[in-house]
Amino acid sequence: MKRRITLSWLLMALICLPMFAQMQDPVRFKTEWKNLSANEAEIIFTGTMDQGWHVYSTDLQEGGPTSATFNIDKIEGAELVGKLTPIGKEIKQMDPIFEMEVKFFEGTAKFSQKVKLTGGDYLITGYLEFGACNDQNCLPPTSVDFSYKGTVAAPAKTEEAAAPAESTETVDSAAAVTTAPQTLQEATDYWKPVIKELSNYGSTEEQESHSWIYIFFTGLVGGILALFTPCVWPIIPMTVSFFLKRTKDKKKGIRDAWTYGASIVVIYVALGLAITLIFGASALNALSTNAIFNILFFLMLVIFAASFFGAFEITLPSKWSNAVDSKAEATTGLLSIFLMAFTLSLVSFSCTGPIIGFLLVEVSTTGSVVAPAIGMLGFAIALALPFTLFAMFPSWLKSMPKSGGWMNVIKVVLGFLELAFALKFLSVADLAYGWRLLDRETFLALWIVIFALLGMYLLGKIKFPHDDDNNKVGVGRFFLALISLAFAVYMIPGLWGAPLKAVSAFAPPMQTQDFNLYKNEVHAKFTDFDAGMEYARQNNKPVMIDFTGYGCVNCRKMELAVWTDPKVSQMLNNDYVLITLYVDEKTKLPEPIKVTENGTERTLRTIGDKWSYLQRSKFGANAQPFYVLLDNEGMPLNKSYSYDEDIAKYVDFLQTGLKNYKK
């Protein structure tokens, strides 16, 4: 009992543990000046990052994530040689959102810039700018300042050295900044920090902590479905009767059944942990966007679906189960019971295998390293609980539904569902390679056909090899058919561009739709904070600040999955003044701005730097997407909101802000 209580508290701790704090500092860079010769040196930038984070490399395509760049503020007595060079093992990967290949570093990032010293005194000041992301958030473009000065002997003059040095593009852009840096107008009420006032509304919950609960219950549902398959359901009464009859002591029989159930949990949780250990944390994080893996997942689920339809059976070698079974008979005690549970896992694989495969594929692509274990915990609890309960209450065995054709119906229904979800993984690969084979309307057309066929099957209009000849349709099957057919009809307007919020998480993005009659889009009224706040004051409207980025994947997901909802778009377009601030906007400020953060002086050089500083200094956050509601004085109206595609929560977030504004 003590062990079970400890396990329960551990599970609750895992589920409730928040994944991210509001302020993040996952990447730390240091700079080093290294002399290569008497008149040549290099500046080396070495960065270390937390697990799950990556830093993008140099020379990425336009419209993609933030590239690492070397920038000069002032240079005297020296000139740059070549460009910023990445050092070490770059990871190259197709990104399905940007539809381009990106390059990044994990664990450690290293860059080098060579410098030629022309002789005498030299001074070089500037900064390295880089972008960093994980699977949930992207940091705004971050700068690492450096300043080096010294004296070297003048090199012997040659014709080449005597010629004027050719200016680089980086130096030219820096040389344009000749005026003294300006200072932010801190007296403006709009910029006044409101970190304490914002925290009074409560902390923002991260979707990741909730997704663990979702993963657990997904596994639980999978385990319940596996119970009612032909490979598991008939075994329950035989196994329970065995435990109760093997000993005259009823308490010992119940204890053995508990041990049997606990063994099932241990076996399947160990399977989930093995997935993490085999693939590793970084590989699991890469699965969600890796095109090759997604194609393999697609093929795997199609094979599983064909198996459930009756084309063939996926079984493990019979000698495996026979060997384990004979070993269980030859041993006694806890080992015997554990081996019996292992035998069940092997014998029932033809039914549970496709369900387990689907669950592991689905939860692995969430990017969470503990997701496979949590999913298998839910699956195992659902599978093990009936064995224990029927052992405690043997009279319940009499009320168990008898085995029959209804169990094959469950298998076929699961086959249709796996076929539908297989298209989701094919869609990821299609976006990554830009094939345009599975645009949104094509995806929806296939789903409409799949769920319409499922409804017809449940009504008895379609039969598979293992179905019986009974033409009667029960009440349960009728209602399931009604739901499936209604879902198919619901998706039909999506062929003309309806947002279909129920499937927005699975369907390809709206921009892949070739024919779109839907015009309910959300556009920001302002991209400048002060101008937007002044407009809101004059028109007596509340404000929503949208801190976003051109390279922020989850920002695009929120805009496609949440902002297209009619309630959300109506409030954003009519009730709020929407101000969108891009923290990776590269446009140079008219003059650089000097600010002091945590006792360190920093220089804001771009518009993106300015908005990123606003987010940090005013709201105490630095990850995107980040949404905050303000009144006309710049004071918060509700707690902030980050990445969470729950539309109901987002609507409540906006409605609460309106209520507080009216007060």
Side-chain angles (χ1 to χ4, degrees), residues 177-467:
V177 183
T178 57
T179 56
Q182 66 179 20
T183 305
L184 280 175
Q185 298 297 321
E186 298 290 354
T188 304
D189 291 338
Y190 301 145
W191 285 73
K192 178 183 177 182
V194 292
I195 299 172
K196 181 178 179 181
E197 291 81 358
L198 191 62
S199 64
N200 289 338
Y201 284 101
S203 60
T204 302
E205 297 178 349
E206 295 289 345
Q207 189 189 41
E208 182 70 15
S209 61
H210 289 284
S211 70
W212 287 6
I213 301 175
Y214 165 78
I215 290 168
F216 175 79
F217 280 104
T218 300
L220 198 69
V221 171
I224 293 172
L225 290 174
L227 274 176
F228 295 103
T229 57
C231 311
V232 179
W233 189 256
I235 299 177
I236 296 176
M238 292 188 296
T239 305
V240 172
S241 298
F242 170 78
F243 284 126
L244 294 178
K245 291 178 181 179
R246 71 183 296 192
T247 177
K248 295 181 180 180
D249 188 349
K250 184 179 179 181
K251 290 184 178 179
K252 187 177 184 303
I254 294 174
R255 187 167 63 249
D256 288 346
W258 270 100
T259 305
Y260 184 79
S263 299
I264 293 174
V265 173
V266 170
I267 290 168
Y268 284 106
V269 171
L271 175 63
L273 292 173
I275 295 296
T276 300
L277 293 175
I278 292 171
F279 286 99
S282 60
L284 285 177
N285 288 332
L287 291 181
S288 59
T289 56
N290 187 282
I292 302 299
F293 273 109
N294 278 279
I295 292 173
L296 293 176
F297 292 160
F298 163 73
L299 295 175
M300 184 190 305
L301 292 181
V302 170
I303 292 172
F304 286 160
S307 172
F308 273 159
F309 289 151
F312 49 82
E313 278 198 2
I314 302 174
T315 58
L316 296 174
S318 58
K319 62 180 181 181
W320 291 8
S321 56
N322 292 336
V324 176
D325 191 38
S326 60
K327 195 73 175 177
E329 292 178 358
T331 57
T332 57
L334 295 178
L335 180 59
S336 173
I337 297 173
F338 179 82
L339 291 174
M340 287 179 62
F342 197 68
T343 303
L344 169 70
S345 304
L346 296 177
V347 171
S348 63
F349 182 79
S350 61
C351 293
T352 60
I355 300 175
I356 293 171
F358 170 72
L359 287 173
L360 289 177
V361 166
E362 180 67 20
V363 302
S364 293
T365 54
T366 61
S368 173
V369 294
V370 298
I374 293 175
M376 286 298 96
L377 177 63
F379 180 88
I381 288 175
L383 198 64
L385 200 57
F387 292 94
T388 306
L389 292 177
F390 283 125
M392 295 177 63
F393 306 100
S395 59
W396 289 5
L397 289 171
K398 298 178 182 178
S399 59
M400 276 183 63
K402 295 184 178 181
S403 303
W406 59 271
M407 290 186 294
N408 189 67
V409 173
I410 292 178
K411 283 184 64 176
V412 174
V413 170
L414 290 174
F416 275 107
L417 294 178
E418 294 210 343
L419 190 60
F421 281 108
L423 294 174
K424 170 193 172 185
F425 297 102
L426 180 60
S427 173
V428 174
D430 182 65
L431 289 170
Y433 284 115
W435 297 330
R436 297 301 299 268
L437 298 175
L438 202 61
D439 289 348
R440 188 172 183 268
E441 62 266 41
T442 307
F443 180 95
L444 291 175
L446 289 171
W447 265 40
I448 290 168
V449 172
I450 289 173
F451 283 95
L453 290 175
L454 173 58
M456 293 174 65
Y457 170 78
L458 290 170
L459 291 175
K461 303 301 181 183
I462 301 174
K463 290 194 178 293
F464 287 93
H466 295 156
D467 289 317

Side-chain angles (χ1 to χ4, degrees), residues 24 136-141 546-549 552-555 581 583-584 612 615 621-626 642-643:
Q24 302 179 40
Q136 292 293 321
N137 298 278
C138 284
L139 298 183
D546 163 34
F547 286 100
T548 184
C552 175
V553 174
N554 285 332
C555 301
L581 305 176
V583 297
D584 52 2
S612 181
Q615 185 184 2
N622 66 345
Q624 293 78 45
F626 185 81
S642 55
Y643 174 62

